[in-house]
Amino acid sequence: MYDKLVVETFLEKQLQLFPEKVAEDYDEAVEFLEDVCATVCKNKKEVLEYLEDEMDITGMSEEEILSAEEVFSISDGRYLVVEG
């Protein structure tokens, strides 16, 4: 479900959401992402649509939403949304 780039991005950036690491290696990261049902969105529009259903984003700008600690930007243009 989570490809190598998504998992590596989460491992690298997990401290943006959590005060300490929740995963030390690739396998732990995959298990954590599966446990919390993290979502991979293919673009900004999909992130906005997903978060409209999952969070109260009323009054937030697109920039604020995309820079939220729950939203991880992936280098290929996708986004990972992790609700901790």
Side-chain angles (χ1 to χ4, degrees), residues 7-21:
V7 175
E8 289 176 350
T9 299
F10 176 73
L11 274 170
E12 188 178 299
K13 297 181 177 183
Q14 63 184 306
L15 294 177
Q16 84 180 28
L17 179 58
F18 301 103
E20 58 187 44
K21 289 185 175 185

Side-chain angles (χ1 to χ4, degrees), residues 37-82:
C37 299
T39 301
V40 178
C41 298
K42 64 183 176 183
N43 55 38
K44 293 177 186 181
K45 180 181 178 191
E46 202 171 280
V47 172
L48 299 174
E49 289 172 356
Y50 175 77
L51 290 178
E52 280 178 357
D53 293 336
E54 300 298 319
M55 292 174 53
D56 181 13
I57 58 172
T58 306
M60 293 177 70
S61 70
E62 181 178 300
E63 183 179 326
E64 289 172 319
I65 294 166
L66 296 176
S67 64
E69 58 189 18
E70 296 91 350
V71 180
F72 295 78
S73 176
I74 302 170
S75 63
D76 64 0
R78 295 178 297 159
Y79 293 85
L80 174 66
V81 180
V82 180

